[in-house]
Amino acid sequence: MAKTVDQYFDDLRDTRVWRSIFRSGTGSSTLKRSLAIQQNVFLHLFATKVRRRMLSFSATWYLGTLTLGTFLMLVVTGILLMLYYHPSVPQAYADTKDLQFVVSSGLFLRNLHRWSAHAMVFLVFAHMFKVFYRGAYRPPREFNWVIGIVLLLVTLLLSYTGYLLPWDQLAYWAITVGSNIASAVPVFGDKIHFMLLGGNLVNANALLRFYVLHCMILPLAAIFFIAIHFWRIRKDGGLYAHQSEPSTLTKTTLAKEAQ
Amino acid sequence: MSTKDFVTGMDSNARKAPRRVAFITRRTSAQVKAVDEETLQTFPEVLFRAAVAIEVMAIGLVTMALLFNAPLEGIADPSHTPNPAKAPWYFLGLQEMLHYFPPVVAGVLVPGLVVMALVVIPYFNINIEAEGLFLKDRERRLRIFYIVTGALVLFLVVFRVFVALVPTLIVAAFMILAAQSSPQSPSAFRRYLASKPLSYWIMSWFLFELVVLTAIGTFFRGPGWSWVWPWRS
Ligand code: HEM
């Protein structure tokens, strides 16, 4: 009898090399599926089981998941953009122009990075309001809500620092307007403004600082806090289930209740 | 559910159904009310759904990237200030406020307070219990509501911030309607309003202002931050 694709896949998963990489091994028993999560450094951030009703669209609108999706897309397109971009004046602008007109698919890459960034800012706000209106900030999830606020700020800063990088008029003046707000902070305003820009005006130093923040510090911060965010969801007992959301009881519970 | 204080279960086949077991030390009274819900395995079901959701969104974004180009203007020129010079769209609500208030207020105080208010939401019991605002102690709360809203409205009028005044008045109108409603109201909408706690009202007001101010900053502001109609240019 011919083998099915699944069986070939199982054979692959049974090879010595595969098993040396993935600790969970083959098989689709519940145990093996649980191990696939528990024995993986990335996936073990998640719980092995999730309440079915939390997966319905209405529970979360998948907004957190989609926020993660935009972030992943931004990391991939961002790394590709970095291959062509020099954070110096006026080379930065020339590189952006080249991406637009010379580099193959450069225009597409830049567009995708740009629109994904806008989408992420929108989604992170939407996710926050959705979590709020579900009341999912309730204990023991308080701190995950606070982590969420940190992620909101990191997302805004990521988007804001990226805005300067094309070094065109739009970028330059948007950052000038925005960074002037920092000067309004009482007492330390001018110091903060100077530290942010590496000078009193938006110039080559500011571009370099924003580049380091945008491509290094802030993405690492985002990954760090997203990891804690997901791990906390598991530790806090999965997603918040509101009483008014209809629950689907398992047969065993129904049987118990019938007794 | 059964009335037993504490229920725990272990499948006879532990290899097939891994379960958590709770150990309760002596002298702690255990009241475990576990509702046994239907669950799915994260691998592969949940991950698959997440992947599909992200995939669908990716298709949308890729389509957008193929159809619309990201803006790129002339090279940065410190000697030519465009008019108006606008921040990215998500900061235009702030920029709109900078038009009315000094930078310390609009740029530092207000955003700082907003972030602080967001952080503390889950640490107040009133937001945890989340009971309808006017269901208890109605007279006193209504009085406080009128004083606070009156002061806010006066403040916005004095500074001529009519764009923020309109959402404030609309939310206040709904709150007054909520105060006139109760869980026994015949209309489902009014029962809904009556059940809404303070945090709901403040957050909805914030969301409303955020949307309105951002939209005005994006579409209705032209040279010198003057009012323009987007369809007339
Ligand atoms: C980079 C930004 C963020 C990412 C990638 C992210 C991701 C997620 C994901 C995937 C979930 C699972 C459920 C869902 O999809 O809603 C979740 C839940 C949650 N998020 Fe976020 N989130 C982010 C920002 C935020 C923000 C800004 C807040 C609020 C201030 C927040 C608060 C929460 C809370 C409290 C939960 C638990 C909800 C529950 O128990 O039902 N997150 N997040």
PDB file of all heavy atoms in Angstrom, chain B residues 34-65:
ATOM      1  N   ALA B  34     -13.974  24.276  39.966  1.00  0.00           N
ATOM      2  CA  ALA B  34     -13.424  24.171  38.625  1.00  0.00           C
ATOM      3  C   ALA B  34     -14.537  23.785  37.667  1.00  0.00           C
ATOM      4  O   ALA B  34     -15.264  22.828  37.901  1.00  0.00           O
ATOM      5  CB  ALA B  34     -12.328  23.134  38.587  1.00  0.00           C
ATOM      6  N   VAL B  35     -14.699  24.588  36.640  1.00  0.00           N
ATOM      7  CA  VAL B  35     -15.648  24.211  35.611  1.00  0.00           C
ATOM      8  C   VAL B  35     -14.848  23.518  34.512  1.00  0.00           C
ATOM      9  O   VAL B  35     -13.916  24.080  33.969  1.00  0.00           O
ATOM     10  CB  VAL B  35     -16.379  25.441  35.049  1.00  0.00           C
ATOM     11  CG1 VAL B  35     -17.386  25.020  34.003  1.00  0.00           C
ATOM     12  CG2 VAL B  35     -17.045  26.201  36.158  1.00  0.00           C
ATOM     13  N   ASP B  36     -15.220  22.313  34.262  1.00  0.00           N
ATOM     14  CA  ASP B  36     -14.469  21.501  33.327  1.00  0.00           C
ATOM     15  C   ASP B  36     -14.942  21.857  31.923  1.00  0.00           C
ATOM     16  O   ASP B  36     -16.001  21.453  31.494  1.00  0.00           O
ATOM     17  CB  ASP B  36     -14.765  20.027  33.638  1.00  0.00           C
ATOM     18  CG  ASP B  36     -13.655  19.145  33.114  1.00  0.00           C
ATOM     19  OD1 ASP B  36     -12.674  19.698  32.613  1.00  0.00           O
ATOM     20  OD2 ASP B  36     -13.784  17.927  33.224  1.00  0.00           O
ATOM     21  N   GLU B  37     -14.142  22.661  31.231  1.00  0.00           N
ATOM     22  CA  GLU B  37     -14.578  23.124  29.924  1.00  0.00           C
ATOM     23  C   GLU B  37     -13.938  22.344  28.818  1.00  0.00           C
ATOM     24  O   GLU B  37     -12.883  21.750  28.993  1.00  0.00           O
ATOM     25  CB  GLU B  37     -14.148  24.575  29.749  1.00  0.00           C
ATOM     26  CG  GLU B  37     -15.143  25.540  30.253  1.00  0.00           C
ATOM     27  CD  GLU B  37     -14.869  26.890  29.657  1.00  0.00           C
ATOM     28  OE1 GLU B  37     -14.760  26.983  28.417  1.00  0.00           O
ATOM     29  OE2 GLU B  37     -14.752  27.827  30.419  1.00  0.00           O
ATOM     30  N   GLU B  38     -14.543  22.415  27.662  1.00  0.00           N
ATOM     31  CA  GLU B  38     -13.945  21.759  26.516  1.00  0.00           C
ATOM     32  C   GLU B  38     -12.679  22.501  26.095  1.00  0.00           C
ATOM     33  O   GLU B  38     -12.690  23.719  25.951  1.00  0.00           O
ATOM     34  CB  GLU B  38     -14.928  21.716  25.353  1.00  0.00           C
ATOM     35  CG  GLU B  38     -14.397  20.879  24.232  1.00  0.00           C
ATOM     36  CD  GLU B  38     -15.415  20.691  23.128  1.00  0.00           C
ATOM     37  OE1 GLU B  38     -16.568  21.114  23.293  1.00  0.00           O
ATOM     38  OE2 GLU B  38     -15.001  20.133  22.104  1.00  0.00           O
ATOM     39  N   THR B  39     -11.613  21.761  25.930  1.00  0.00           N
ATOM     40  CA  THR B  39     -10.351  22.403  25.551  1.00  0.00           C
ATOM     41  C   THR B  39      -9.820  21.807  24.255  1.00  0.00           C
ATOM     42  O   THR B  39     -10.215  20.713  23.851  1.00  0.00           O
ATOM     43  CB  THR B  39      -9.288  22.209  26.638  1.00  0.00           C
ATOM     44  OG1 THR B  39      -9.175  20.818  26.902  1.00  0.00           O
ATOM     45  CG2 THR B  39      -9.643  22.942  27.902  1.00  0.00           C
ATOM     46  N   LEU B  40      -8.939  22.563  23.638  1.00  0.00           N
ATOM     47  CA  LEU B  40      -8.267  22.087  22.434  1.00  0.00           C
ATOM     48  C   LEU B  40      -6.765  22.069  22.686  1.00  0.00           C
ATOM     49  O   LEU B  40      -6.260  22.862  23.478  1.00  0.00           O
ATOM     50  CB  LEU B  40      -8.551  23.033  21.257  1.00  0.00           C
ATOM     51  CG  LEU B  40      -9.976  23.055  20.721  1.00  0.00           C
ATOM     52  CD1 LEU B  40     -10.085  24.091  19.622  1.00  0.00           C
ATOM     53  CD2 LEU B  40     -10.371  21.689  20.205  1.00  0.00           C
ATOM     54  N   GLN B  41      -6.073  21.191  21.995  1.00  0.00           N
ATOM     55  CA  GLN B  41      -4.614  21.165  22.106  1.00  0.00           C
ATOM     56  C   GLN B  41      -4.025  22.375  21.382  1.00  0.00           C
ATOM     57  O   GLN B  41      -4.431  22.678  20.259  1.00  0.00           O
ATOM     58  CB  GLN B  41      -4.073  19.893  21.455  1.00  0.00           C
ATOM     59  CG  GLN B  41      -4.390  18.627  22.189  1.00  0.00           C
ATOM     60  CD  GLN B  41      -3.693  18.541  23.526  1.00  0.00           C
ATOM     61  OE1 GLN B  41      -4.315  18.293  24.537  1.00  0.00           O
ATOM     62  NE2 GLN B  41      -2.382  18.778  23.531  1.00  0.00           N
ATOM     63  N   THR B  42      -3.090  23.038  22.031  1.00  0.00           N
ATOM     64  CA  THR B  42      -2.449  24.185  21.379  1.00  0.00           C
ATOM     65  C   THR B  42      -1.751  23.736  20.093  1.00  0.00           C
ATOM     66  O   THR B  42      -1.844  24.390  19.068  1.00  0.00           O
ATOM     67  CB  THR B  42      -1.419  24.814  22.331  1.00  0.00           C
ATOM     68  OG1 THR B  42      -2.097  25.150  23.526  1.00  0.00           O
ATOM     69  CG2 THR B  42      -0.788  26.046  21.716  1.00  0.00           C
ATOM     70  N   PHE B  43      -1.047  22.594  20.208  1.00  0.00           N
ATOM     71  CA  PHE B  43      -0.460  22.004  19.004  1.00  0.00           C
ATOM     72  C   PHE B  43      -1.330  20.829  18.597  1.00  0.00           C
ATOM     73  O   PHE B  43      -1.497  19.913  19.391  1.00  0.00           O
ATOM     74  CB  PHE B  43       0.974  21.535  19.281  1.00  0.00           C
ATOM     75  CG  PHE B  43       1.604  20.856  18.102  1.00  0.00           C
ATOM     76  CD1 PHE B  43       2.248  21.597  17.135  1.00  0.00           C
ATOM     77  CD2 PHE B  43       1.528  19.473  17.953  1.00  0.00           C
ATOM     78  CE1 PHE B  43       2.819  20.978  16.052  1.00  0.00           C
ATOM     79  CE2 PHE B  43       2.094  18.850  16.854  1.00  0.00           C
ATOM     80  CZ  PHE B  43       2.741  19.606  15.911  1.00  0.00           C
ATOM     81  N   PRO B  44      -1.911  20.802  17.428  1.00  0.00           N
ATOM     82  CA  PRO B  44      -1.749  21.782  16.365  1.00  0.00           C
ATOM     83  C   PRO B  44      -2.900  22.787  16.248  1.00  0.00           C
ATOM     84  O   PRO B  44      -2.754  23.775  15.537  1.00  0.00           O
ATOM     85  CB  PRO B  44      -1.750  20.893  15.126  1.00  0.00           C
ATOM     86  CG  PRO B  44      -2.670  19.767  15.494  1.00  0.00           C
ATOM     87  CD  PRO B  44      -2.579  19.584  16.967  1.00  0.00           C
ATOM     88  N   GLU B  45      -4.018  22.562  16.961  1.00  0.00           N
ATOM     89  CA  GLU B  45      -5.221  23.336  16.631  1.00  0.00           C
ATOM     90  C   GLU B  45      -5.074  24.845  16.793  1.00  0.00           C
ATOM     91  O   GLU B  45      -5.375  25.618  15.891  1.00  0.00           O
ATOM     92  CB  GLU B  45      -6.411  22.862  17.469  1.00  0.00           C
ATOM     93  CG  GLU B  45      -7.131  21.712  16.827  1.00  0.00           C
ATOM     94  CD  GLU B  45      -7.235  20.513  17.735  1.00  0.00           C
ATOM     95  OE1 GLU B  45      -6.333  20.293  18.548  1.00  0.00           O
ATOM     96  OE2 GLU B  45      -8.228  19.806  17.633  1.00  0.00           O
ATOM     97  N   VAL B  46      -4.609  25.289  17.968  1.00  0.00           N
ATOM     98  CA  VAL B  46      -4.570  26.723  18.235  1.00  0.00           C
ATOM     99  C   VAL B  46      -3.538  27.412  17.340  1.00  0.00           C
ATOM    100  O   VAL B  46      -3.805  28.475  16.763  1.00  0.00           O
ATOM    101  CB  VAL B  46      -4.257  26.974  19.722  1.00  0.00           C
ATOM    102  CG1 VAL B  46      -4.207  28.463  20.005  1.00  0.00           C
ATOM    103  CG2 VAL B  46      -5.299  26.292  20.593  1.00  0.00           C
ATOM    104  N   LEU B  47      -2.380  26.770  17.217  1.00  0.00           N
ATOM    105  CA  LEU B  47      -1.330  27.367  16.382  1.00  0.00           C
ATOM    106  C   LEU B  47      -1.797  27.470  14.937  1.00  0.00           C
ATOM    107  O   LEU B  47      -1.505  28.433  14.239  1.00  0.00           O
ATOM    108  CB  LEU B  47      -0.046  26.541  16.476  1.00  0.00           C
ATOM    109  CG  LEU B  47       0.603  26.525  17.857  1.00  0.00           C
ATOM    110  CD1 LEU B  47       1.853  25.659  17.845  1.00  0.00           C
ATOM    111  CD2 LEU B  47       0.950  27.927  18.317  1.00  0.00           C
ATOM    112  N   PHE B  48      -2.544  26.466  14.503  1.00  0.00           N
ATOM    113  CA  PHE B  48      -3.058  26.488  13.134  1.00  0.00           C
ATOM    114  C   PHE B  48      -3.987  27.682  12.925  1.00  0.00           C
ATOM    115  O   PHE B  48      -3.881  28.419  11.952  1.00  0.00           O
ATOM    116  CB  PHE B  48      -3.787  25.181  12.840  1.00  0.00           C
ATOM    117  CG  PHE B  48      -4.385  25.125  11.464  1.00  0.00           C
ATOM    118  CD1 PHE B  48      -3.574  24.974  10.349  1.00  0.00           C
ATOM    119  CD2 PHE B  48      -5.758  25.235  11.278  1.00  0.00           C
ATOM    120  CE1 PHE B  48      -4.116  24.931   9.083  1.00  0.00           C
ATOM    121  CE2 PHE B  48      -6.305  25.201  10.021  1.00  0.00           C
ATOM    122  CZ  PHE B  48      -5.489  25.045   8.920  1.00  0.00           C
ATOM    123  N   ARG B  49      -4.887  27.873  13.887  1.00  0.00           N
ATOM    124  CA  ARG B  49      -5.809  29.015  13.747  1.00  0.00           C
ATOM    125  C   ARG B  49      -5.077  30.338  13.756  1.00  0.00           C
ATOM    126  O   ARG B  49      -5.380  31.244  12.961  1.00  0.00           O
ATOM    127  CB  ARG B  49      -6.819  29.008  14.898  1.00  0.00           C
ATOM    128  CG  ARG B  49      -7.952  28.050  14.638  1.00  0.00           C
ATOM    129  CD  ARG B  49      -8.772  27.872  15.890  1.00  0.00           C
ATOM    130  NE  ARG B  49      -9.205  26.501  15.958  1.00  0.00           N
ATOM    131  CZ  ARG B  49     -10.458  26.142  16.168  1.00  0.00           C
ATOM    132  NH1 ARG B  49     -11.375  27.045  16.365  1.00  0.00           N
ATOM    133  NH2 ARG B  49     -10.785  24.871  16.205  1.00  0.00           N
ATOM    134  N   ALA B  50      -4.090  30.458  14.641  1.00  0.00           N
ATOM    135  CA  ALA B  50      -3.313  31.703  14.685  1.00  0.00           C
ATOM    136  C   ALA B  50      -2.617  31.921  13.346  1.00  0.00           C
ATOM    137  O   ALA B  50      -2.619  33.035  12.813  1.00  0.00           O
ATOM    138  CB  ALA B  50      -2.290  31.638  15.819  1.00  0.00           C
ATOM    139  N   ALA B  51      -2.057  30.833  12.794  1.00  0.00           N
ATOM    140  CA  ALA B  51      -1.352  30.956  11.515  1.00  0.00           C
ATOM    141  C   ALA B  51      -2.318  31.396  10.423  1.00  0.00           C
ATOM    142  O   ALA B  51      -1.984  32.266   9.610  1.00  0.00           O
ATOM    143  CB  ALA B  51      -0.695  29.628  11.149  1.00  0.00           C
ATOM    144  N   VAL B  52      -3.521  30.840  10.416  1.00  0.00           N
ATOM    145  CA  VAL B  52      -4.494  31.229   9.390  1.00  0.00           C
ATOM    146  C   VAL B  52      -4.859  32.699   9.546  1.00  0.00           C
ATOM    147  O   VAL B  52      -4.893  33.455   8.562  1.00  0.00           O
ATOM    148  CB  VAL B  52      -5.760  30.341   9.473  1.00  0.00           C
ATOM    149  CG1 VAL B  52      -6.852  30.907   8.575  1.00  0.00           C
ATOM    150  CG2 VAL B  52      -5.419  28.918   9.077  1.00  0.00           C
ATOM    151  N   ALA B  53      -5.086  33.139  10.786  1.00  0.00           N
ATOM    152  CA  ALA B  53      -5.446  34.543  11.009  1.00  0.00           C
ATOM    153  C   ALA B  53      -4.341  35.460  10.502  1.00  0.00           C
ATOM    154  O   ALA B  53      -4.609  36.443   9.795  1.00  0.00           O
ATOM    155  CB  ALA B  53      -5.695  34.790  12.501  1.00  0.00           C
ATOM    156  N   ILE B  54      -3.092  35.137  10.844  1.00  0.00           N
ATOM    157  CA  ILE B  54      -1.973  35.975  10.413  1.00  0.00           C
ATOM    158  C   ILE B  54      -1.835  35.934   8.893  1.00  0.00           C
ATOM    159  O   ILE B  54      -1.588  36.960   8.251  1.00  0.00           O
ATOM    160  CB  ILE B  54      -0.671  35.529  11.110  1.00  0.00           C
ATOM    161  CG1 ILE B  54      -0.757  35.852  12.609  1.00  0.00           C
ATOM    162  CG2 ILE B  54       0.541  36.205  10.484  1.00  0.00           C
ATOM    163  CD1 ILE B  54       0.392  35.319  13.432  1.00  0.00           C
ATOM    164  N   GLU B  55      -2.040  34.740   8.333  1.00  0.00           N
ATOM    165  CA  GLU B  55      -1.956  34.568   6.883  1.00  0.00           C
ATOM    166  C   GLU B  55      -2.955  35.473   6.156  1.00  0.00           C
ATOM    167  O   GLU B  55      -2.608  36.164   5.192  1.00  0.00           O
ATOM    168  CB  GLU B  55      -2.270  33.100   6.557  1.00  0.00           C
ATOM    169  CG  GLU B  55      -1.680  32.574   5.293  1.00  0.00           C
ATOM    170  CD  GLU B  55      -0.190  32.358   5.413  1.00  0.00           C
ATOM    171  OE1 GLU B  55       0.273  31.866   6.462  1.00  0.00           O
ATOM    172  OE2 GLU B  55       0.496  32.704   4.460  1.00  0.00           O
ATOM    173  N   VAL B  56      -4.188  35.481   6.623  1.00  0.00           N
ATOM    174  CA  VAL B  56      -5.226  36.294   5.980  1.00  0.00           C
ATOM    175  C   VAL B  56      -4.835  37.769   6.036  1.00  0.00           C
ATOM    176  O   VAL B  56      -4.927  38.501   5.042  1.00  0.00           O
ATOM    177  CB  VAL B  56      -6.597  36.066   6.666  1.00  0.00           C
ATOM    178  CG1 VAL B  56      -7.619  37.081   6.186  1.00  0.00           C
ATOM    179  CG2 VAL B  56      -7.077  34.646   6.409  1.00  0.00           C
ATOM    180  N   MET B  57      -4.353  38.182   7.213  1.00  0.00           N
ATOM    181  CA  MET B  57      -3.945  39.577   7.339  1.00  0.00           C
ATOM    182  C   MET B  57      -2.768  39.883   6.415  1.00  0.00           C
ATOM    183  O   MET B  57      -2.717  40.948   5.787  1.00  0.00           O
ATOM    184  CB  MET B  57      -3.552  39.879   8.776  1.00  0.00           C
ATOM    185  CG  MET B  57      -3.164  41.322   8.974  1.00  0.00           C
ATOM    186  SD  MET B  57      -2.438  41.594  10.573  1.00  0.00           S
ATOM    187  CE  MET B  57      -0.952  40.633  10.419  1.00  0.00           C
ATOM    188  N   ALA B  58      -1.830  38.933   6.315  1.00  0.00           N
ATOM    189  CA  ALA B  58      -0.659  39.141   5.459  1.00  0.00           C
ATOM    190  C   ALA B  58      -1.091  39.334   4.010  1.00  0.00           C
ATOM    191  O   ALA B  58      -0.556  40.201   3.305  1.00  0.00           O
ATOM    192  CB  ALA B  58       0.301  37.967   5.587  1.00  0.00           C
ATOM    193  N   ILE B  59      -2.080  38.555   3.585  1.00  0.00           N
ATOM    194  CA  ILE B  59      -2.577  38.715   2.210  1.00  0.00           C
ATOM    195  C   ILE B  59      -3.101  40.131   2.010  1.00  0.00           C
ATOM    196  O   ILE B  59      -2.800  40.799   1.017  1.00  0.00           O
ATOM    197  CB  ILE B  59      -3.666  37.663   1.907  1.00  0.00           C
ATOM    198  CG1 ILE B  59      -3.040  36.266   1.861  1.00  0.00           C
ATOM    199  CG2 ILE B  59      -4.368  37.981   0.582  1.00  0.00           C
ATOM    200  CD1 ILE B  59      -4.039  35.135   1.771  1.00  0.00           C
ATOM    201  N   GLY B  60      -3.858  40.607   3.002  1.00  0.00           N
ATOM    202  CA  GLY B  60      -4.380  41.968   2.916  1.00  0.00           C
ATOM    203  C   GLY B  60      -3.260  43.006   2.820  1.00  0.00           C
ATOM    204  O   GLY B  60      -3.288  43.899   1.974  1.00  0.00           O
ATOM    205  N   LEU B  61      -2.244  42.854   3.675  1.00  0.00           N
ATOM    206  CA  LEU B  61      -1.157  43.843   3.692  1.00  0.00           C
ATOM    207  C   LEU B  61      -0.325  43.780   2.422  1.00  0.00           C
ATOM    208  O   LEU B  61       0.085  44.814   1.892  1.00  0.00           O
ATOM    209  CB  LEU B  61      -0.275  43.621   4.925  1.00  0.00           C
ATOM    210  CG  LEU B  61      -0.886  44.063   6.257  1.00  0.00           C
ATOM    211  CD1 LEU B  61      -0.021  43.623   7.426  1.00  0.00           C
ATOM    212  CD2 LEU B  61      -1.067  45.579   6.290  1.00  0.00           C
ATOM    213  N   VAL B  62      -0.096  42.567   1.922  1.00  0.00           N
ATOM    214  CA  VAL B  62       0.679  42.430   0.682  1.00  0.00           C
ATOM    215  C   VAL B  62      -0.085  43.083  -0.467  1.00  0.00           C
ATOM    216  O   VAL B  62       0.494  43.817  -1.283  1.00  0.00           O
ATOM    217  CB  VAL B  62       0.979  40.943   0.388  1.00  0.00           C
ATOM    218  CG1 VAL B  62       1.444  40.762  -1.053  1.00  0.00           C
ATOM    219  CG2 VAL B  62       2.035  40.413   1.345  1.00  0.00           C
ATOM    220  N   THR B  63      -1.399  42.866  -0.511  1.00  0.00           N
ATOM    221  CA  THR B  63      -2.215  43.502  -1.546  1.00  0.00           C
ATOM    222  C   THR B  63      -2.074  45.012  -1.470  1.00  0.00           C
ATOM    223  O   THR B  63      -1.883  45.699  -2.476  1.00  0.00           O
ATOM    224  CB  THR B  63      -3.687  43.101  -1.368  1.00  0.00           C
ATOM    225  OG1 THR B  63      -3.756  41.694  -1.203  1.00  0.00           O
ATOM    226  CG2 THR B  63      -4.514  43.532  -2.563  1.00  0.00           C
ATOM    227  N   MET B  64      -2.142  45.526  -0.238  1.00  0.00           N
ATOM    228  CA  MET B  64      -2.005  46.968  -0.064  1.00  0.00           C
ATOM    229  C   MET B  64      -0.648  47.457  -0.543  1.00  0.00           C
ATOM    230  O   MET B  64      -0.527  48.499  -1.195  1.00  0.00           O
ATOM    231  CB  MET B  64      -2.163  47.294   1.417  1.00  0.00           C
ATOM    232  CG  MET B  64      -3.267  48.276   1.681  1.00  0.00           C
ATOM    233  SD  MET B  64      -3.209  48.758   3.385  1.00  0.00           S
ATOM    234  CE  MET B  64      -2.757  50.452   3.190  1.00  0.00           C
ATOM    235  N   ALA B  65       0.394  46.674  -0.208  1.00  0.00           N
ATOM    236  CA  ALA B  65       1.757  47.079  -0.581  1.00  0.00           C
ATOM    237  C   ALA B  65       1.932  47.061  -2.097  1.00  0.00           C
ATOM    238  O   ALA B  65       2.741  47.811  -2.634  1.00  0.00           O
ATOM    239  CB  ALA B  65       2.773  46.158   0.082  1.00  0.00           C
TER     240      ALA B  65
END
